[in-house]
Amino acid sequence: MTAADSATEDRWFTEQHLRSGSAFGLRVKERLHAETTPYQTIEIYDTTDWGHLMVIDGCTMVSTRDNFLYHEMMSHPALFTHARAKRVVIIGGGDCGTLREVLRHEEVEHAVQVEIDERVTRLAEQYFPELCEANGDPRAELLFIDGIRYMADAEPESIDVVIVDSTDPVGPAEGLFNAEFYASCFKALRPSGILVQQSESPLVHLELIKSMRSAMRVAGFHAVRTLGFPQPIYPTGWWSCTMARKGADLSGFRERGAQTKQFPTRYYNAEIHKAALAQPNFLRDALGD
Ligand code: SAM
């Protein structure tokens, strides 16, 4: 080990996750930016091995190296389940990675990203330009307002897919995890429309996942499925999204479309989609899928 190696080894960003008694750290070269907005504290780090890292309120959000896992799984399972999603709304998602994945689907005619904090997007443009490369697509619309309000005011039966790419259920995101919000989504979705929401770690947030799923059913959704995927920079390294569908089930998807898709993905493919629909026994027991 050289002296330089030893010096950099002393500098880590560490997120302690008290609920699971665990911590995740990335070795960093320097903190590039820090600010407090009206909504949250945002930091950007340059890491030694993971590219840039965005942290909100002390929680890791996005790294250059592993964000594809999350962004692809928040988008493609829902879009390859829907027969033809023309209008998509993303709530949160200010780093723009989900928007980029959604716009890879040529059937999408309009995608709105509704992010409460404009600074997240401005910093993503600066430090994660590859995630923002679809922002100039004529089908994209970027709004900087509260997603809860946006969905409450949305025209009934006007949207095919709603993707809730939010922070944890505290602060501005708290109201994105309850039956009232899901009822707004239900009303705004067209028949067979799909809601998909990031639903934290199956290993430590099982009670949250259960309460989200039951609130989705209370709101009227017919089918609910929770899909797992790896996500190294989030607590436990294992994450999930929960899909809910209006008036149709979620067991099948456009498998042939996923196999012959005309755009690149690094994680998602038809086999991954099928595998993500499978449940380990403890989740089967807990969720009844
Ligand atoms: N991938 C991340 C994760 O699961 O930790 C989420 C990343 S994305 C940056 C989350 C975004 O949700 C944040 O930029 C935050 O400002 C936004 N957000 C939180 N509450 C919101 C709300 N009520 N309306 C719109 N955006 C919201």
Side-chain angles (χ1 to χ4, degrees):
M1 185 186 294
T2 66
D5 286 337
S6 151
T8 54
E9 272 201 351
D10 290 330
R11 305 182 65 186
W12 292 77
F13 169 80
T14 304
E15 177 184 340
Q16 291 185 4
H17 191 246
L18 297 179
R19 192 191 179 108
S20 61
S22 61
F24 175 75
L26 290 179
R27 190 169 52 181
V28 299
K29 293 188 226 168
E30 60 178 317
R31 188 165 76 168
L32 299 171
H33 184 85
E35 71 178 86
T36 300
T37 73
Y39 306 101
Q40 51 214 351
T41 297
I42 314 173
E43 297 166 88
I44 307 285
Y45 290 88
D46 192 15
T47 72
T48 56
D49 297 85
W50 293 68
H52 287 161
L53 171 70
M54 181 185 285
V55 174
I56 293 184
D57 287 342
C59 299
T60 55
M61 288 288 129
V62 182
S63 88
T64 306
R65 185 166 174 177
D66 81 338
N67 75 79
F68 67 97
L69 299 160
Y70 176 90
H71 288 136
E72 291 182 14
M73 289 304 282
M74 289 295 289
S75 318
H76 303 311
L79 286 163
F80 278 116
T81 299
H82 198 285
R84 190 176 174 80
K86 293 185 186 166
R87 287 186 57 89
V88 178
V89 171
I90 299 157
I91 302 294
D95 56 67
C96 305
T98 298
L99 179 66
R100 182 186 69 172
E101 294 307 312
V102 165
L103 289 170
R104 291 193 195 280
H105 290 255
E106 59 182 21
E107 71 273 19
V108 173
E109 293 173 1
H110 188 219
V112 193
Q113 178 186 283
V114 187
E115 163 60 58
I116 201 168
D117 191 346
E118 182 169 357
R119 290 300 301 152
V120 174
T121 298
R122 299 299 163 230
L123 289 168
E125 286 167 348
Q126 195 176 345
Y127 295 107
F128 299 89
E130 69 284 6
L131 298 185
C132 299
E133 62 193 20
N135 290 9
D137 187 310
R139 299 171 295 160
E141 184 181 2
L142 275 66
L143 299 177
F144 298 106
I145 53 172
D146 186 352
I148 301 168
R149 181 93 245 164
Y150 180 88
M151 289 312 303
D153 294 344
E155 201 184 310
E157 301 204 350
S158 61
I159 302 167
D160 296 305
V161 173
V162 176
I163 301 176
V164 188
D165 178 359
S166 75
T167 35
D168 301 341
V170 285
E174 195 175 349
L176 296 170
F177 289 79
N178 59 39
E180 196 183 341
F181 174 71
Y182 301 145
S184 300
C185 295
F186 186 85
K187 182 163 68 89
L189 282 166
R190 292 184 175 131
S192 300
I194 295 173
L195 165 68
V196 54
Q197 180 166 26
Q198 75 88 1
S199 48
E200 315 266 312
S201 166
L203 213 48
V204 291
H205 301 108
L206 199 45
E207 290 311 311
L208 173 75
I209 295 173
K210 278 161 77 176
S211 86
M212 285 171 66
R213 290 167 55 103
S214 87
M216 286 168 173
R217 288 195 186 278
V218 167
F221 285 97
H222 173 80
V224 182
R225 296 293 285 253
T226 298
L227 286 67
F229 53 90
Q231 189 64 67
I233 70 163
Y234 294 164
T236 76
W238 187 23
W239 217 242
S240 69
C241 62
T242 294
M243 282 205 277
R245 193 159 196 197
K246 186 173 181 175
D249 90 349
L250 283 166
S251 50
F253 66 105
R254 292 186 292 114
E255 193 173 338
R256 181 93 188 110
Q259 280 162 348
T260 57
K261 65 184 174 50
Q262 296 298 305
F263 56 82
T265 47
R266 294 179 62 204
Y267 183 71
Y268 178 85
N269 58 41
E271 299 306 311
I272 287 285
H273 191 144
K274 273 191 261 182
L277 286 170
Q279 292 293 24
N281 286 354
F282 83 93
L283 275 183
R284 266 193 207 170
D285 292 345
L287 305 178
D289 278 356

